[in-house]
Amino acid sequence: MRKGRSALPSKTTQTTITRLYPLFLMLLPIIFSVIVFFGYSQTKLLYYQNEVQAMDRQLNSVFQILSLFDKRVKDNSITRTEAQESAKKLLAGTRLPDGTRNTNDVELTLSSGDAFIVFNSQGNLLVHPHLEGQNMFQLSDADGRTLVREVLHKGKTVITYPSLDPTTETRDTKIAVARYFPEWDWHVSLTTAESDFYHQLSLLKSLLVLLVLGSYLITAFLFYNTKRKDKALLSSTLRG
């Protein structure tokens, strides 16, 4: 009878597998990193869209309130000045003697880092926590010039722009959603610090970074363990 072929892999096949295994170990964390990167990029895009939509919904509520104030003006219940002052207090709090707004007195529910900025078609700041009454075109770009130009000159409604906090002299990047209230010539912008905007996503990013680093550490351990076993096997073979 003809003997059946052995089911065991040949020595050449075993050698090939042994040589390819370290290469596979090195490629594994790289492939994992690429998958995580693309997954995070898509998640960040969806997160950005959802957060902008949430800000836009909040502006919807504000515009409903402004419309109610304007209706009272048209009904001669209050003057336009009274209506606008009430709206300013609602959006930015009571105005203090130094010209700033008491943001702790804001009647609307705002997330950390959120604020309302209102300016007219000439770029004059009508509502602002610190710079109310100034013209944004006359300020440096870091003070918000980009915001008014993107809104007035380019007609953008979602803007990312550099900002300088005059109270702390710190620079930051802000994200704003802007809409126009034509009855009063008000460009109303809900702004938030980029760090606050992406706060929840940054927690996910930190977790993914730890997972990627962990995959490299595990790969390094497996690679070291494989090399150690290969050395031990080679030494045993030489002694035999």
PDB file of all heavy atoms in Angstrom, residues 82-119:
ATOM      1  N   GLU A  82     -36.588  99.309  25.098  1.00  0.00           N
ATOM      2  CA  GLU A  82     -36.882  98.465  26.256  1.00  0.00           C
ATOM      3  C   GLU A  82     -36.811  96.983  25.884  1.00  0.00           C
ATOM      4  O   GLU A  82     -36.280  96.159  26.644  1.00  0.00           O
ATOM      5  CB  GLU A  82     -38.275  98.803  26.810  1.00  0.00           C
ATOM      6  CG  GLU A  82     -38.366 100.164  27.480  1.00  0.00           C
ATOM      7  CD  GLU A  82     -39.793 100.543  27.839  1.00  0.00           C
ATOM      8  OE1 GLU A  82     -40.740  99.980  27.213  1.00  0.00           O
ATOM      9  OE2 GLU A  82     -39.972 101.380  28.735  1.00  0.00           O
ATOM     10  N   ALA A  83     -37.332  96.655  24.727  1.00  0.00           N
ATOM     11  CA  ALA A  83     -37.307  95.265  24.273  1.00  0.00           C
ATOM     12  C   ALA A  83     -35.871  94.784  24.076  1.00  0.00           C
ATOM     13  O   ALA A  83     -35.511  93.668  24.489  1.00  0.00           O
ATOM     14  CB  ALA A  83     -38.103  95.127  22.982  1.00  0.00           C
ATOM     15  N   GLN A  84     -35.059  95.622  23.458  1.00  0.00           N
ATOM     16  CA  GLN A  84     -33.676  95.226  23.185  1.00  0.00           C
ATOM     17  C   GLN A  84     -32.868  95.103  24.475  1.00  0.00           C
ATOM     18  O   GLN A  84     -32.044  94.197  24.613  1.00  0.00           O
ATOM     19  CB  GLN A  84     -33.031  96.226  22.225  1.00  0.00           C
ATOM     20  CG  GLN A  84     -33.605  96.150  20.809  1.00  0.00           C
ATOM     21  CD  GLN A  84     -33.008  97.175  19.876  1.00  0.00           C
ATOM     22  OE1 GLN A  84     -32.363  98.144  20.313  1.00  0.00           O
ATOM     23  NE2 GLN A  84     -33.218  97.003  18.582  1.00  0.00           N
ATOM     24  N   GLU A  85     -33.098  95.999  25.424  1.00  0.00           N
ATOM     25  CA  GLU A  85     -32.387  95.921  26.695  1.00  0.00           C
ATOM     26  C   GLU A  85     -32.774  94.661  27.463  1.00  0.00           C
ATOM     27  O   GLU A  85     -31.930  94.016  28.090  1.00  0.00           O
ATOM     28  CB  GLU A  85     -32.668  97.166  27.545  1.00  0.00           C
ATOM     29  CG  GLU A  85     -31.972  98.421  27.054  1.00  0.00           C
ATOM     30  CD  GLU A  85     -30.464  98.264  26.941  1.00  0.00           C
ATOM     31  OE1 GLU A  85     -29.871  97.675  27.884  1.00  0.00           O
ATOM     32  OE2 GLU A  85     -29.889  98.692  25.922  1.00  0.00           O
ATOM     33  N   SER A  86     -34.055  94.318  27.404  1.00  0.00           N
ATOM     34  CA  SER A  86     -34.505  93.079  28.052  1.00  0.00           C
ATOM     35  C   SER A  86     -33.867  91.864  27.383  1.00  0.00           C
ATOM     36  O   SER A  86     -33.462  90.903  28.057  1.00  0.00           O
ATOM     37  CB  SER A  86     -36.031  92.971  27.992  1.00  0.00           C
ATOM     38  OG  SER A  86     -36.643  94.023  28.705  1.00  0.00           O
ATOM     39  N   ALA A  87     -33.783  91.898  26.060  1.00  0.00           N
ATOM     40  CA  ALA A  87     -33.176  90.786  25.320  1.00  0.00           C
ATOM     41  C   ALA A  87     -31.688  90.674  25.625  1.00  0.00           C
ATOM     42  O   ALA A  87     -31.150  89.573  25.782  1.00  0.00           O
ATOM     43  CB  ALA A  87     -33.391  90.984  23.822  1.00  0.00           C
ATOM     44  N   LYS A  88     -31.015  91.822  25.748  1.00  0.00           N
ATOM     45  CA  LYS A  88     -29.578  91.815  26.065  1.00  0.00           C
ATOM     46  C   LYS A  88     -29.329  91.201  27.441  1.00  0.00           C
ATOM     47  O   LYS A  88     -28.400  90.410  27.628  1.00  0.00           O
ATOM     48  CB  LYS A  88     -29.020  93.238  26.014  1.00  0.00           C
ATOM     49  CG  LYS A  88     -28.913  93.818  24.617  1.00  0.00           C
ATOM     50  CD  LYS A  88     -28.403  95.251  24.662  1.00  0.00           C
ATOM     51  CE  LYS A  88     -28.327  95.860  23.265  1.00  0.00           C
ATOM     52  NZ  LYS A  88     -27.839  97.264  23.296  1.00  0.00           N
ATOM     53  N   LYS A  89     -30.172  91.572  28.403  1.00  0.00           N
ATOM     54  CA  LYS A  89     -30.021  90.999  29.749  1.00  0.00           C
ATOM     55  C   LYS A  89     -30.259  89.503  29.718  1.00  0.00           C
ATOM     56  O   LYS A  89     -29.571  88.728  30.403  1.00  0.00           O
ATOM     57  CB  LYS A  89     -30.998  91.679  30.707  1.00  0.00           C
ATOM     58  CG  LYS A  89     -30.897  91.159  32.141  1.00  0.00           C
ATOM     59  CD  LYS A  89     -31.885  91.839  33.056  1.00  0.00           C
ATOM     60  CE  LYS A  89     -31.792  91.253  34.469  1.00  0.00           C
ATOM     61  NZ  LYS A  89     -32.763  91.866  35.390  1.00  0.00           N
ATOM     62  N   LEU A  90     -31.228  89.084  28.921  1.00  0.00           N
ATOM     63  CA  LEU A  90     -31.534  87.668  28.796  1.00  0.00           C
ATOM     64  C   LEU A  90     -30.350  86.888  28.228  1.00  0.00           C
ATOM     65  O   LEU A  90     -30.025  85.794  28.682  1.00  0.00           O
ATOM     66  CB  LEU A  90     -32.753  87.486  27.889  1.00  0.00           C
ATOM     67  CG  LEU A  90     -33.243  86.057  27.654  1.00  0.00           C
ATOM     68  CD1 LEU A  90     -33.976  85.541  28.883  1.00  0.00           C
ATOM     69  CD2 LEU A  90     -34.154  85.995  26.438  1.00  0.00           C
ATOM     70  N   LEU A  91     -29.686  87.477  27.222  1.00  0.00           N
ATOM     71  CA  LEU A  91     -28.607  86.786  26.516  1.00  0.00           C
ATOM     72  C   LEU A  91     -27.279  86.845  27.259  1.00  0.00           C
ATOM     73  O   LEU A  91     -26.508  85.875  27.236  1.00  0.00           O
ATOM     74  CB  LEU A  91     -28.418  87.390  25.120  1.00  0.00           C
ATOM     75  CG  LEU A  91     -29.582  87.228  24.135  1.00  0.00           C
ATOM     76  CD1 LEU A  91     -29.279  87.976  22.851  1.00  0.00           C
ATOM     77  CD2 LEU A  91     -29.853  85.765  23.848  1.00  0.00           C
ATOM     78  N   ALA A  92     -26.975  87.994  27.895  1.00  0.00           N
ATOM     79  CA  ALA A  92     -25.632  88.180  28.444  1.00  0.00           C
ATOM     80  C   ALA A  92     -25.618  88.625  29.895  1.00  0.00           C
ATOM     81  O   ALA A  92     -24.546  88.848  30.449  1.00  0.00           O
ATOM     82  CB  ALA A  92     -24.865  89.189  27.589  1.00  0.00           C
ATOM     83  N   GLY A  93     -26.756  88.785  30.523  1.00  0.00           N
ATOM     84  CA  GLY A  93     -26.781  89.189  31.917  1.00  0.00           C
ATOM     85  C   GLY A  93     -26.843  90.702  32.084  1.00  0.00           C
ATOM     86  O   GLY A  93     -26.819  91.457  31.118  1.00  0.00           O
ATOM     87  N   THR A  94     -26.911  91.135  33.322  1.00  0.00           N
ATOM     88  CA  THR A  94     -27.010  92.553  33.646  1.00  0.00           C
ATOM     89  C   THR A  94     -25.701  93.266  33.302  1.00  0.00           C
ATOM     90  O   THR A  94     -24.616  92.737  33.535  1.00  0.00           O
ATOM     91  CB  THR A  94     -27.309  92.739  35.145  1.00  0.00           C
ATOM     92  OG1 THR A  94     -28.479  91.995  35.475  1.00  0.00           O
ATOM     93  CG2 THR A  94     -27.522  94.209  35.472  1.00  0.00           C
ATOM     94  N   ARG A  95     -25.837  94.479  32.771  1.00  0.00           N
ATOM     95  CA  ARG A  95     -24.634  95.243  32.448  1.00  0.00           C
ATOM     96  C   ARG A  95     -24.118  95.928  33.709  1.00  0.00           C
ATOM     97  O   ARG A  95     -24.858  96.616  34.422  1.00  0.00           O
ATOM     98  CB  ARG A  95     -24.917  96.283  31.371  1.00  0.00           C
ATOM     99  CG  ARG A  95     -23.623  96.910  30.832  1.00  0.00           C
ATOM    100  CD  ARG A  95     -23.829  97.715  29.592  1.00  0.00           C
ATOM    101  NE  ARG A  95     -22.563  98.097  29.008  1.00  0.00           N
ATOM    102  CZ  ARG A  95     -22.435  98.866  27.947  1.00  0.00           C
ATOM    103  NH1 ARG A  95     -23.528  99.345  27.339  1.00  0.00           N
ATOM    104  NH2 ARG A  95     -21.251  99.175  27.466  1.00  0.00           N
ATOM    105  N   LEU A  96     -22.823  95.758  33.969  1.00  0.00           N
ATOM    106  CA  LEU A  96     -22.193  96.309  35.159  1.00  0.00           C
ATOM    107  C   LEU A  96     -21.693  97.724  34.889  1.00  0.00           C
ATOM    108  O   LEU A  96     -21.577  98.143  33.730  1.00  0.00           O
ATOM    109  CB  LEU A  96     -21.042  95.399  35.595  1.00  0.00           C
ATOM    110  CG  LEU A  96     -21.435  93.941  35.899  1.00  0.00           C
ATOM    111  CD1 LEU A  96     -20.204  93.107  36.195  1.00  0.00           C
ATOM    112  CD2 LEU A  96     -22.422  93.878  37.057  1.00  0.00           C
ATOM    113  N   PRO A  97     -21.378  98.479  35.967  1.00  0.00           N
ATOM    114  CA  PRO A  97     -20.907  99.865  35.789  1.00  0.00           C
ATOM    115  C   PRO A  97     -19.677  99.999  34.904  1.00  0.00           C
ATOM    116  O   PRO A  97     -19.479 101.019  34.243  1.00  0.00           O
ATOM    117  CB  PRO A  97     -20.600 100.310  37.226  1.00  0.00           C
ATOM    118  CG  PRO A  97     -21.505  99.476  38.069  1.00  0.00           C
ATOM    119  CD  PRO A  97     -21.578  98.151  37.386  1.00  0.00           C
ATOM    120  N   ASP A  98     -18.810  98.970  34.867  1.00  0.00           N
ATOM    121  CA  ASP A  98     -17.599  99.046  34.037  1.00  0.00           C
ATOM    122  C   ASP A  98     -17.864  98.693  32.576  1.00  0.00           C
ATOM    123  O   ASP A  98     -16.940  98.643  31.762  1.00  0.00           O
ATOM    124  CB  ASP A  98     -16.503  98.138  34.603  1.00  0.00           C
ATOM    125  CG  ASP A  98     -16.914  96.664  34.618  1.00  0.00           C
ATOM    126  OD1 ASP A  98     -18.065  96.356  34.229  1.00  0.00           O
ATOM    127  OD2 ASP A  98     -16.088  95.827  35.030  1.00  0.00           O
ATOM    128  N   GLY A  99     -19.131  98.432  32.212  1.00  0.00           N
ATOM    129  CA  GLY A  99     -19.478  98.151  30.819  1.00  0.00           C
ATOM    130  C   GLY A  99     -19.499  96.678  30.468  1.00  0.00           C
ATOM    131  O   GLY A  99     -19.950  96.310  29.376  1.00  0.00           O
ATOM    132  N   THR A 100     -19.028  95.829  31.357  1.00  0.00           N
ATOM    133  CA  THR A 100     -19.047  94.390  31.094  1.00  0.00           C
ATOM    134  C   THR A 100     -20.401  93.813  31.496  1.00  0.00           C
ATOM    135  O   THR A 100     -21.224  94.486  32.118  1.00  0.00           O
ATOM    136  CB  THR A 100     -17.930  93.671  31.870  1.00  0.00           C
ATOM    137  OG1 THR A 100     -18.154  93.847  33.281  1.00  0.00           O
ATOM    138  CG2 THR A 100     -16.570  94.243  31.502  1.00  0.00           C
ATOM    139  N   ARG A 101     -20.624  92.578  31.130  1.00  0.00           N
ATOM    140  CA  ARG A 101     -21.869  91.895  31.460  1.00  0.00           C
ATOM    141  C   ARG A 101     -21.637  90.849  32.546  1.00  0.00           C
ATOM    142  O   ARG A 101     -20.616  90.152  32.554  1.00  0.00           O
ATOM    143  CB  ARG A 101     -22.444  91.210  30.217  1.00  0.00           C
ATOM    144  CG  ARG A 101     -22.960  92.165  29.157  1.00  0.00           C
ATOM    145  CD  ARG A 101     -24.359  92.649  29.452  1.00  0.00           C
ATOM    146  NE  ARG A 101     -24.821  93.669  28.512  1.00  0.00           N
ATOM    147  CZ  ARG A 101     -26.026  94.218  28.550  1.00  0.00           C
ATOM    148  NH1 ARG A 101     -26.885  93.858  29.487  1.00  0.00           N
ATOM    149  NH2 ARG A 101     -26.373  95.134  27.665  1.00  0.00           N
ATOM    150  N   ASN A 102     -22.563  90.755  33.465  1.00  0.00           N
ATOM    151  CA  ASN A 102     -22.503  89.755  34.520  1.00  0.00           C
ATOM    152  C   ASN A 102     -23.019  88.427  33.963  1.00  0.00           C
ATOM    153  O   ASN A 102     -24.215  88.159  33.956  1.00  0.00           O
ATOM    154  CB  ASN A 102     -23.343  90.205  35.716  1.00  0.00           C
ATOM    155  CG  ASN A 102     -23.297  89.197  36.864  1.00  0.00           C
ATOM    156  OD1 ASN A 102     -22.482  88.273  36.852  1.00  0.00           O
ATOM    157  ND2 ASN A 102     -24.170  89.370  37.841  1.00  0.00           N
ATOM    158  N   THR A 103     -22.102  87.613  33.474  1.00  0.00           N
ATOM    159  CA  THR A 103     -22.486  86.356  32.814  1.00  0.00           C
ATOM    160  C   THR A 103     -23.154  85.377  33.777  1.00  0.00           C
ATOM    161  O   THR A 103     -23.852  84.456  33.347  1.00  0.00           O
ATOM    162  CB  THR A 103     -21.251  85.694  32.177  1.00  0.00           C
ATOM    163  OG1 THR A 103     -20.231  85.548  33.172  1.00  0.00           O
ATOM    164  CG2 THR A 103     -20.709  86.546  31.040  1.00  0.00           C
ATOM    165  N   ASN A 104     -22.935  85.573  35.081  1.00  0.00           N
ATOM    166  CA  ASN A 104     -23.598  84.702  36.060  1.00  0.00           C
ATOM    167  C   ASN A 104     -25.087  85.009  36.174  1.00  0.00           C
ATOM    168  O   ASN A 104     -25.839  84.253  36.770  1.00  0.00           O
ATOM    169  CB  ASN A 104     -22.937  84.856  37.432  1.00  0.00           C
ATOM    170  CG  ASN A 104     -21.501  84.384  37.446  1.00  0.00           C
ATOM    171  OD1 ASN A 104     -21.160  83.409  36.779  1.00  0.00           O
ATOM    172  ND2 ASN A 104     -20.644  85.074  38.181  1.00  0.00           N
ATOM    173  N   ASP A 105     -25.484  86.154  35.595  1.00  0.00           N
ATOM    174  CA  ASP A 105     -26.873  86.599  35.683  1.00  0.00           C
ATOM    175  C   ASP A 105     -27.677  86.244  34.427  1.00  0.00           C
ATOM    176  O   ASP A 105     -28.809  86.666  34.267  1.00  0.00           O
ATOM    177  CB  ASP A 105     -26.890  88.126  35.902  1.00  0.00           C
ATOM    178  CG  ASP A 105     -28.262  88.628  36.323  1.00  0.00           C
ATOM    179  OD1 ASP A 105     -28.982  87.879  36.997  1.00  0.00           O
ATOM    180  OD2 ASP A 105     -28.623  89.760  35.955  1.00  0.00           O
ATOM    181  N   VAL A 106     -27.057  85.462  33.522  1.00  0.00           N
ATOM    182  CA  VAL A 106     -27.733  85.086  32.276  1.00  0.00           C
ATOM    183  C   VAL A 106     -28.948  84.218  32.595  1.00  0.00           C
ATOM    184  O   VAL A 106     -28.853  83.261  33.373  1.00  0.00           O
ATOM    185  CB  VAL A 106     -26.771  84.327  31.339  1.00  0.00           C
ATOM    186  CG1 VAL A 106     -27.499  83.864  30.091  1.00  0.00           C
ATOM    187  CG2 VAL A 106     -25.609  85.224  30.957  1.00  0.00           C
ATOM    188  N   GLU A 107     -30.080  84.544  31.999  1.00  0.00           N
ATOM    189  CA  GLU A 107     -31.323  83.840  32.301  1.00  0.00           C
ATOM    190  C   GLU A 107     -31.487  82.562  31.488  1.00  0.00           C
ATOM    191  O   GLU A 107     -32.340  81.726  31.805  1.00  0.00           O
ATOM    192  CB  GLU A 107     -32.515  84.774  32.063  1.00  0.00           C
ATOM    193  CG  GLU A 107     -32.505  86.000  32.967  1.00  0.00           C
ATOM    194  CD  GLU A 107     -33.685  86.922  32.708  1.00  0.00           C
ATOM    195  OE1 GLU A 107     -34.718  86.435  32.224  1.00  0.00           O
ATOM    196  OE2 GLU A 107     -33.571  88.125  32.974  1.00  0.00           O
ATOM    197  N   LEU A 108     -30.702  82.404  30.430  1.00  0.00           N
ATOM    198  CA  LEU A 108     -30.781  81.189  29.621  1.00  0.00           C
ATOM    199  C   LEU A 108     -29.819  80.143  30.163  1.00  0.00           C
ATOM    200  O   LEU A 108     -28.814  80.466  30.799  1.00  0.00           O
ATOM    201  CB  LEU A 108     -30.425  81.509  28.163  1.00  0.00           C
ATOM    202  CG  LEU A 108     -31.366  82.449  27.420  1.00  0.00           C
ATOM    203  CD1 LEU A 108     -30.795  82.782  26.051  1.00  0.00           C
ATOM    204  CD2 LEU A 108     -32.751  81.831  27.270  1.00  0.00           C
ATOM    205  N   THR A 109     -30.123  78.879  29.892  1.00  0.00           N
ATOM    206  CA  THR A 109     -29.240  77.792  30.304  1.00  0.00           C
ATOM    207  C   THR A 109     -28.126  77.639  29.276  1.00  0.00           C
ATOM    208  O   THR A 109     -28.380  77.338  28.112  1.00  0.00           O
ATOM    209  CB  THR A 109     -30.022  76.464  30.415  1.00  0.00           C
ATOM    210  OG1 THR A 109     -31.075  76.627  31.350  1.00  0.00           O
ATOM    211  CG2 THR A 109     -29.107  75.351  30.874  1.00  0.00           C
ATOM    212  N   LEU A 110     -26.876  77.876  29.718  1.00  0.00           N
ATOM    213  CA  LEU A 110     -25.723  77.784  28.824  1.00  0.00           C
ATOM    214  C   LEU A 110     -24.741  76.754  29.354  1.00  0.00           C
ATOM    215  O   LEU A 110     -24.569  76.612  30.565  1.00  0.00           O
ATOM    216  CB  LEU A 110     -25.030  79.141  28.698  1.00  0.00           C
ATOM    217  CG  LEU A 110     -25.833  80.273  28.046  1.00  0.00           C
ATOM    218  CD1 LEU A 110     -25.046  81.574  28.096  1.00  0.00           C
ATOM    219  CD2 LEU A 110     -26.188  79.935  26.612  1.00  0.00           C
ATOM    220  N   SER A 111     -24.092  76.068  28.433  1.00  0.00           N
ATOM    221  CA  SER A 111     -23.043  75.126  28.823  1.00  0.00           C
ATOM    222  C   SER A 111     -21.770  75.891  29.150  1.00  0.00           C
ATOM    223  O   SER A 111     -21.638  77.077  28.842  1.00  0.00           O
ATOM    224  CB  SER A 111     -22.786  74.128  27.691  1.00  0.00           C
ATOM    225  OG  SER A 111     -23.960  73.419  27.365  1.00  0.00           O
ATOM    226  N   SER A 112     -20.834  75.208  29.776  1.00  0.00           N
ATOM    227  CA  SER A 112     -19.564  75.832  30.126  1.00  0.00           C
ATOM    228  C   SER A 112     -18.849  76.332  28.871  1.00  0.00           C
ATOM    229  O   SER A 112     -18.717  75.603  27.886  1.00  0.00           O
ATOM    230  CB  SER A 112     -18.673  74.814  30.842  1.00  0.00           C
ATOM    231  OG  SER A 112     -17.395  75.341  31.087  1.00  0.00           O
ATOM    232  N   GLY A 113     -18.410  77.589  28.910  1.00  0.00           N
ATOM    233  CA  GLY A 113     -17.692  78.171  27.774  1.00  0.00           C
ATOM    234  C   GLY A 113     -18.585  78.813  26.737  1.00  0.00           C
ATOM    235  O   GLY A 113     -18.087  79.434  25.803  1.00  0.00           O
ATOM    236  N   ASP A 114     -19.911  78.685  26.889  1.00  0.00           N
ATOM    237  CA  ASP A 114     -20.841  79.274  25.914  1.00  0.00           C
ATOM    238  C   ASP A 114     -21.111  80.745  26.234  1.00  0.00           C
ATOM    239  O   ASP A 114     -21.106  81.156  27.393  1.00  0.00           O
ATOM    240  CB  ASP A 114     -22.176  78.522  25.916  1.00  0.00           C
ATOM    241  CG  ASP A 114     -22.075  77.164  25.255  1.00  0.00           C
ATOM    242  OD1 ASP A 114     -20.967  76.809  24.830  1.00  0.00           O
ATOM    243  OD2 ASP A 114     -23.087  76.463  25.170  1.00  0.00           O
ATOM    244  N   ALA A 115     -21.357  81.516  25.188  1.00  0.00           N
ATOM    245  CA  ALA A 115     -21.708  82.929  25.355  1.00  0.00           C
ATOM    246  C   ALA A 115     -22.396  83.410  24.084  1.00  0.00           C
ATOM    247  O   ALA A 115     -22.230  82.831  23.009  1.00  0.00           O
ATOM    248  CB  ALA A 115     -20.470  83.778  25.640  1.00  0.00           C
ATOM    249  N   PHE A 116     -23.165  84.484  24.226  1.00  0.00           N
ATOM    250  CA  PHE A 116     -23.817  85.104  23.078  1.00  0.00           C
ATOM    251  C   PHE A 116     -23.073  86.379  22.702  1.00  0.00           C
ATOM    252  O   PHE A 116     -22.680  87.165  23.560  1.00  0.00           O
ATOM    253  CB  PHE A 116     -25.279  85.448  23.388  1.00  0.00           C
ATOM    254  CG  PHE A 116     -26.190  84.257  23.363  1.00  0.00           C
ATOM    255  CD1 PHE A 116     -26.590  83.652  24.546  1.00  0.00           C
ATOM    256  CD2 PHE A 116     -26.638  83.729  22.160  1.00  0.00           C
ATOM    257  CE1 PHE A 116     -27.436  82.552  24.534  1.00  0.00           C
ATOM    258  CE2 PHE A 116     -27.481  82.629  22.139  1.00  0.00           C
ATOM    259  CZ  PHE A 116     -27.877  82.042  23.328  1.00  0.00           C
ATOM    260  N   ILE A 117     -22.872  86.548  21.391  1.00  0.00           N
ATOM    261  CA  ILE A 117     -22.313  87.778  20.844  1.00  0.00           C
ATOM    262  C   ILE A 117     -23.293  88.287  19.797  1.00  0.00           C
ATOM    263  O   ILE A 117     -23.721  87.533  18.927  1.00  0.00           O
ATOM    264  CB  ILE A 117     -20.931  87.541  20.208  1.00  0.00           C
ATOM    265  CG1 ILE A 117     -19.920  87.111  21.268  1.00  0.00           C
ATOM    266  CG2 ILE A 117     -20.439  88.802  19.499  1.00  0.00           C
ATOM    267  CD1 ILE A 117     -18.554  86.763  20.712  1.00  0.00           C
ATOM    268  N   VAL A 118     -23.644  89.562  19.920  1.00  0.00           N
ATOM    269  CA  VAL A 118     -24.576  90.172  18.962  1.00  0.00           C
ATOM    270  C   VAL A 118     -23.911  91.418  18.383  1.00  0.00           C
ATOM    271  O   VAL A 118     -23.359  92.238  19.116  1.00  0.00           O
ATOM    272  CB  VAL A 118     -25.907  90.567  19.643  1.00  0.00           C
ATOM    273  CG1 VAL A 118     -26.846  91.213  18.629  1.00  0.00           C
ATOM    274  CG2 VAL A 118     -26.567  89.337  20.277  1.00  0.00           C
ATOM    275  N   PHE A 119     -23.959  91.545  17.059  1.00  0.00           N
ATOM    276  CA  PHE A 119     -23.430  92.738  16.399  1.00  0.00           C
ATOM    277  C   PHE A 119     -24.336  93.097  15.236  1.00  0.00           C
ATOM    278  O   PHE A 119     -25.101  92.261  14.738  1.00  0.00           O
ATOM    279  CB  PHE A 119     -21.984  92.525  15.923  1.00  0.00           C
ATOM    280  CG  PHE A 119     -21.783  91.275  15.102  1.00  0.00           C
ATOM    281  CD1 PHE A 119     -21.941  91.288  13.722  1.00  0.00           C
ATOM    282  CD2 PHE A 119     -21.452  90.082  15.714  1.00  0.00           C
ATOM    283  CE1 PHE A 119     -21.761  90.138  12.968  1.00  0.00           C
ATOM    284  CE2 PHE A 119     -21.272  88.911  14.964  1.00  0.00           C
ATOM    285  CZ  PHE A 119     -21.432  88.950  13.594  1.00  0.00           C
TER     286      PHE A 119
END
